[in-house]
Structure formats: structure tokens, C-alpha cells
Amino acid sequence: MVLSMLSACGGPAPTSTTQPTSAPADQPGSAATSAPAAATAAPSTDNGQKVKVVWWHISTADVDKKNWDDMAALYMKDHPNVQIEITVLENEAFKTKLATAMQSGNPPDIFQTWGGGTLQQYAEAGLVQDLTEALKQDGWGDSFQAAPLSIFGSDGKFYGVPWRVGMIGFWYNKDLFQKANIAATPTTWAEFLEVVKQLKAAGITPIALGGKDKWPGAFYWEYLAVRLGGKDAFDKAYSRQGSFSDPVFVDAGKRLKELVDLQPFQEGFLGDGFTESATLSGNGKAAMELMGQWEPGSAADSAEDKDAYYKSLGWFPFPSVEGGKGDASDVLGGGDGFAIGKNAAPEAIEFVRWLTSVENQTKMAAANIAVPPVVKGAETAMTDPLLKQVQQATANAKYFQLYYDQYMPPAVGQTINDATQTIFAGSATPEDAAAQIEATAAQELK
């Protein structure tokens, strides 16, 4: 039963610097061209036993790959008994490969995780190690900011640790806004729709969207639900005191349809994935993209002129929705983390402990890698002004909602992604989409 649920795992939101969860993540900022951080030397624990550690990550941007490669090389130099074997996977390929590995009961020793319901199910299936006791040693657990760490635990047990946290917001092209005579970024949904109209009138594609991947589109519906209903609406639906077909979730679909009806996306957006949408953003072919902190790194990777891309880049939070009960500071986001497979040797935990040390987090933050950081004190090294905006918005949030497809069981998350795409495709009404989500939630959320 559990394994069948795992195989149904829909998909975490992007996250990697270059390719999302998902969940997406990549690295932003104007200074994304900074050299990878030099890792702090690791204490030797060589006991003479040769140990191989298999590590799957999704940091596909060149700067991120080099950073992890360099850190692994340094660790192996100081721990000659440890051999770290790295596999780098694009986000969607990672999800597929990991699902297969989990079904076979042979997870990698260290792998990317976004926490939430998917990680919890891995834990319930005994496929990942319980890190609770390890976190109590040498103040490792206390070194993390509480909110990012909480994503990877439940009921006092932790099955992963974060290495970066962030939020979803709009990355936009300031030059294209200027061309359309848009003087200020929108702060309300009504203003946002007007901005879309102004961009279209100027002959500019307003929004890049990777509709094929589904989770980028789901961000819109989820954020609208956060703005319209706030924490209370979600908690009621999740706890079964309410439902995902309650008016607030239907209204989220109706607001989304308002946007879809303006036809703001690139031609063929339903067949494009995140890679294609990031390419459009990186090359000034669309004015906005709703995405996480990994967007700049991903878009810059495909930009013909990286300097021009970064120079024109701006960011603003998801607009408030008129009449909504959610606070304008509320955030939809998540974090990137690492989990430890059930068969991993203790050296895998020690390597992750070292990766997330304040010394290494600080150096990576200074180089715009692993930002915003999750270890206390490392945020002082951030230099990129846009990422500082993201970090401050995250820190100031009164309510931090993990991506729905990560927070809830995989079957519900997948249904949310599937159902919201039907609104983009015009094949279902907001009421129908909400009913589809509720039908799955009623089965999965007991």
C-alpha cells in the first residue's frame, strides 16, 4: 500500500537551483557568477574502513554542481576512507528515478528532499533514517532556524535537514516593464491583472509558464487560496473540519480563471516545462515568472547574455487579493533538504552534518549558493539584494505554507497539480477542479 502511494508521488515542487523543487533550485542573484564557496576543512574521522556514500542531488546549474563537487572532494580529502559518488539529476528525472528506487527498497544514501508528506511517507515505510538523535548531538539541531527544520519533521521526529529555504514570488524583467510604461510592481490582484493587460498591449508576453510540469501552474491556485483564506482555511480543509471544495478554494480557481482568460502565457505553454519557461525568462521573451528562489540561476543558465539578464531582473511578492482573509505577508514556499536512505552508513550523516555547518553555510551564502541559508547566522553573509528581499519576506511571514504538493500526501499533491492544470487548459471549471481535489483529500486525509 505504502509503496503504491510512493509510486504515485506527484511531484514535489521544484527546487533546485537550476531546475526546480521543484521543487524546485539555482542560484540567483546578480552575483550568481560568484565563484563557488570554498568549503571549510572537515575534521578527519577516518577509522580505516572504506565507505561509499551515494549522493543524488538536483542542483543542475553549473555553479551549484561545482560547489557540491568541490565540497565532496574536500571532504573526501580529509576523510580518505569515504568515497562520495554523486549523481546529478534534473528535477523531473530525479522524481522518477527516486520513485523507482523507493519501490525497490533501495534508496540512495543521501538525496534531495522537500520534506512534508512525501518524506513522511518514506519515513513510515522505513525507507529513510530517523535523524532525531543525530540532531541532538553537538547542537546540530539547534543550529538550524526552526521554521525550515520543521518542514522535515513531524511529532518531534526528523527525517531530513534543510540546506536552503525560500518562497515563491514573481521574478520580472524591469526593462520589459519600462517598455510597457509600467511604473510600479502590482500589490493587489486587480493591479496584477492590469499589468498583464499593459504588457499584452505593448506586444510583450506577460508570463512564462511551464504548464507541462503542472506544479508551476499549481503555485497560482495555492497562492490565491493562501491570500483568500489564510491559514484557517487550509487548516480546516486539511483537518477535515472543512473541505477543499469550500468556497475559498473555488474562489481561488475563479481568480485563476480571470488570469487565464487574459491569455497571458507564451504560445504552447501547456506543452512547455520549467526548462522552457526559464529559457524564455532568461532571454527576455516574457516579462514575469512565478517561481521560487531558484529561478535566477535556472534562467541565467540558458540566457544568451547573463549580465543583461541579471541587470534587468527584479522581484516582487504575490499580490494580495481584495477581500481575502490571508495576510499580505503570508508566504507559499519551501526548502531544499537532504534525507538519508535506510541503508546509508553513519558517514552519510556526518557528511550532511558537515555540509550544513555554519561555516559552510556562511561561505555558500556569501557566494549566492544555498540561499537563503537555514543555519542561524549565515544570513549575514548574503550580498545579493534580490535574495535579501526573498530572505526578509520569508523571515517576516506571519504564516509560512509549504507547497501543497509537498505538505500533503503524494496522491493529494498530484491531484492538486492535475486539477489546477485543467483550469489552465480550460477543460474544467473552478468548481470541478476543487471537487477533484476534495475527492482525493477525502480518501487520503483521515
Side-chain angles (χ1 to χ4, degrees), residues 159-199:
Y159 303 98
V161 294
W163 60 272
R164 172 173 56 191
V165 69
M167 61 177 286
I168 303 302
F170 278 101
W171 299 90
Y172 75 103
N173 186 307
K174 292 184 288 188
D175 293 340
L176 295 181
F177 267 45
Q178 185 175 29
K179 182 179 177 181
N181 294 318
I182 299 169
T185 55
T187 60
T188 67
W189 187 246
E191 291 178 0
F192 178 72
L193 297 181
E194 286 303 313
V195 162
V196 168
K197 294 174 184 175
Q198 283 183 257
L199 288 164

Side-chain angles (χ1 to χ4, degrees), residues 14-29 32 58-64 163-164 171 274 292-301 310 336 368-372 387:
T15 349
S16 126
T17 312
T18 39
Q19 282 277 337
T21 315
S22 71
D26 54 296
Q27 297 327 340
I58 61 170
S59 298
T60 55
D62 291 342
V63 67
D64 301 326
W163 60 272
R164 172 173 56 191
W171 299 90
F274 170 65
Q293 70 281 356
W294 57 86
E295 166 71 6
S298 300
D301 254 12
Y310 282 123
D336 293 304
N368 271 335
I369 297 171
V371 285
L387 285 178

